Amino acid sequence: MQACGLFQLFQEGAVVSMVNPFNPYYPAEAAFFANRRREQEWFRRGLLPSLRPESAGPWNAAILGPWGIGKSSLVRRLRELARETEVPPGVVVVGCTTGYGSLLGFTRSLIGSMKEEMLSLAGWSEAVRTELERWSVQIQLPGVALRRGQRQAPEEAANVAELLRSTLRRYWEQILEPAGKTLLFVLDDADLLQVMDPNALMILRAVFQDLHMYRARYGLVITGPSNLFGEVREVAEPVTRFFEHLPLREFDLDDTTDAVRHPLQQVHAPIRVSDEAVGWVWEQSHGHPYFVAFIMRDVVDEAMKQKWDRIDIEHLQKCWPYVSAHLETEKFLAEWTYATPAERQILQALATGKHIGEGKSALMSRLVRKNLIYRIERGQYAIYHPLFAEFVRNQAE
Ligand SMILES: Nc1ncnc2c1ncn2[C@@H]1O[C@H](COP(=O)(O)OP(=O)(O)OP(=O)(O)O)[C@@H](O)[C@H]1O
Ligand SMILES: [Mg+2]
């Protein structure tokens, strides 16, 4: 089977071109985005108005949830919503990665992205534009990049805070405020900043709070796993209070209906999906957005090849052997291969409901970090998805 592409369907003699709108490899495009109404409403009514100069100060948000639940997709949608406002703020979206080598390296990149976003905003006079471009070469960055794995010295953490604070303040006072413009920073996968420097979120909070003192209207949205704050609670409880928490959960049946039908409507697909078929997709995927997208991508691919104008349970059952083999090769096999023999034993035990003995906490933590299991409550764990549990049960050792 081919991945997403342009296909031609024949309907009543006419040739209809159609693109497969499902793609599990990237965050959902704004046009194919489904659900998350509560979060979108909060952005529209709370976060975006809070960026306006007359507000009491920007609201900050932490979009939290496990891998593939839709954090980056929601960030993309937020960007669209910002563009739809009367006076659109600039939205600086940065994917966090340890590839920056240090928090300083990250900060440098963040400032670069900020300048790009500002330059892309409409309405600058030629003088301001020239000034902005000139600043882009003027900024002096303290310190040198760290080698991989090297710990950031405390004075460099201070440099990070100083660099960010002074640059953002300068941009605010000299360029953004006089022009009546505001910016929203979105740091996707902010947990990776914590890997480079365990104080990263503390530093960000301190900088953004200081900027608030100067009435700067910079909003801050971060995304990360559900335990992003859990791990820092003892040392950095104030950080958790600095953000409105937006936990993302799996889709319910109505959400899944929307996630299945909305993208097809958007591409004017001449394919109807029955209620029973949607229910079946929901049961298999457990409403996990990644799996909904994966299953639908393959099923729609097949529908286009076979020229089905309807997808019903029989069609799904026909496709399932292929979809499930595809899931194995695309995802499960790699996860299984990278697990150590001891980790596999734990996975087998969890998948078959066997008792896991004492003294396994280090192993369990490693499996949680690998996103293969999640903690239900103290000492109780489950495999991240029933489809992976089924795969694990089928791996006779
Ligand atoms: N609201 C949505 N509407 C439609 N599809 C979605 C939505 N949310 C997620 N998806 C689908 O699920 C897949 C995973 O979503 P996304 O990449 O946004 O998750 P994530 O939480 O950022 O994952 P990670 O933790 O791996 O970065 C996407 O490829 C997309 O197809
Ligand atoms: Mg993501």
Side-chain angles (χ1 to χ4, degrees):
M1 256 191 219
Q2 241 179 308
C4 322
L6 193 68
F7 291 78
Q8 296 199 310
L9 294 184
F10 298 86
Q11 263 214 332
E12 293 166 6
V15 179
V16 184
S17 290
M18 163 187 164
V19 176
N20 188 334
F22 297 98
N23 182 348
Y25 300 116
Y26 288 99
E29 297 254 334
F32 305 136
F33 185 85
N35 311 307
R36 307 300 186 206
R37 287 183 197 89
R38 195 180 70 84
E39 291 77 11
Q40 292 191 59
E41 198 53 19
W42 189 82
F43 292 151
R44 267 195 215 99
R45 291 187 183 275
L47 185 128
L48 291 168
S50 81
L51 293 173
R52 291 210 293 255
E54 71 275 17
S55 81
W59 294 10
N60 306 310
I63 301 171
L64 302 171
W67 75 269
I69 203 74
K71 302 180 292 294
S72 304
S73 301
L74 186 58
V75 158
R76 284 199 180 190
R77 181 69 192 124
L78 168 59
R79 211 158 112 127
E80 282 299 303
L81 288 176
R83 288 191 178 137
E84 288 166 13
T85 57
E86 217 176 303
V87 187
V91 184
V92 184
V93 182
V94 182
C96 303
T97 141
T98 51
Y100 292 116
S102 69
L103 198 56
L104 192 58
F106 167 77
T107 307
R108 191 176 284 160
S109 163
L110 183 68
I111 292 172
S113 304
M114 175 188 178
K115 276 187 307 240
E116 262 172 45
E117 178 66 19
M118 283 170 70
L119 279 165
S120 75
L121 290 177
W124 296 118
S125 68
E126 210 39 55
V128 171
R129 195 166 278 280
T130 313
E131 183 69 5
L132 255 176
E133 272 158 7
R134 197 168 61 82
W135 269 12
S136 64
V137 274
Q138 259 187 358
I139 285 175
Q140 292 298 312
L141 299 163
V144 286
L146 297 183
R147 282 198 307 277
R148 227 182 139 81
Q150 197 179 345
R151 270 295 283 247
Q152 186 169 285
E155 62 272 21
E156 286 194 342
N159 278 345
V160 167
E162 191 40 44
L163 170 67
L164 199 55
R165 189 186 356 249
S166 60
T167 311
L168 264 57
R169 188 178 162 193
R170 193 157 58 129
Y171 275 144
W172 174 252
E173 290 178 345
Q174 297 185 27
I175 295 197
L176 290 166
E177 191 182 21
K181 294 185 191 295
T182 55
L183 277 187
L184 176 62
F185 286 91
V186 183
L187 313 184
D188 199 11
D189 300 323
D191 48 307
L192 298 178
L193 299 181
Q194 292 283 112
V195 174
M196 288 190 287
D197 183 334
N199 292 319
L201 293 180
M202 287 281 269
I203 294 171
L204 280 174
R205 170 187 181 265
V207 169
F208 277 77
Q209 261 193 358
D210 289 353
L211 290 165
H212 183 240
M213 225 160 44
Y214 303 108
R215 297 194 50 79
R217 293 295 179 258
Y218 288 121
L220 179 62
V221 173
I222 61 173
T223 79
S226 315
N227 64 357
L228 178 66
F229 298 120
E231 284 174 0
V232 294
R233 185 162 296 141
E234 294 77 18
V235 283
E237 192 274 340
V239 173
T240 77
R241 281 187 287 112
F242 190 59
F243 296 97
E244 175 83 17
H245 296 200
L246 302 181
L248 295 188
R249 307 204 192 291
E250 283 82 6
F251 293 157
D252 62 19
L253 180 57
D254 284 346
D255 292 339
T256 306
T257 308
D258 199 26
V260 164
R261 290 191 177 141
H262 173 70
L264 288 170
Q265 281 158 5
Q266 287 294 97
V267 296
H268 307 291
I271 302 172
R272 298 279 154 270
V273 185
S274 70
D275 288 347
E276 293 73 22
V278 172
W280 198 87
V281 171
W282 180 58
E283 276 166 27
Q284 291 295 334
S285 64
H286 281 246
H288 190 294
Y290 169 84
F291 289 103
V292 173
F294 194 103
I295 295 170
M296 285 310 296
R297 187 267 314 261
D298 280 2
V299 170
V300 169
D301 205 10
E302 189 62 8
M304 291 161 105
K305 267 198 202 151
Q306 304 293 338
K307 304 185 180 76
W308 295 335
D309 60 1
R310 191 178 165 76
I311 294 174
D312 220 325
I313 297 263
E314 306 88 81
H315 300 95
L316 293 173
Q317 282 166 344
K318 213 164 153 188
C319 291
W320 188 245
Y322 169 74
V323 179
S324 100
H326 195 191
L327 260 175
E328 280 188 28
T329 52
E330 292 275 312
K331 186 158 173 59
F332 298 157
L333 264 175
E335 290 168 336
W336 184 247
T337 310
Y338 289 123
T340 63
E343 289 169 354
R344 287 183 197 174
Q345 268 184 7
I346 300 275
L347 290 172
Q348 293 265 7
L350 284 174
T352 50
K354 289 202 189 100
H355 176 70
I356 295 171
E358 298 293 307
K360 298 278 195 295
S361 59
L363 258 179
M364 302 313 259
S365 302
R366 244 170 37 211
L367 284 165
V368 170
R369 274 202 300 280
K370 286 184 174 180
N371 290 326
L372 295 183
I373 65 173
Y374 67 95
R375 203 174 78 134
I376 303 168
E377 55 186 56
R378 204 177 169 82
Q380 255 207 314
Y381 295 84
I383 289 193
Y384 75 86
H385 195 274
L387 286 173
F388 184 58
E390 192 181 316
F391 167 85
V392 170
R393 278 192 292 277
N394 292 336
Q395 304 305 302
E397 288 240 283

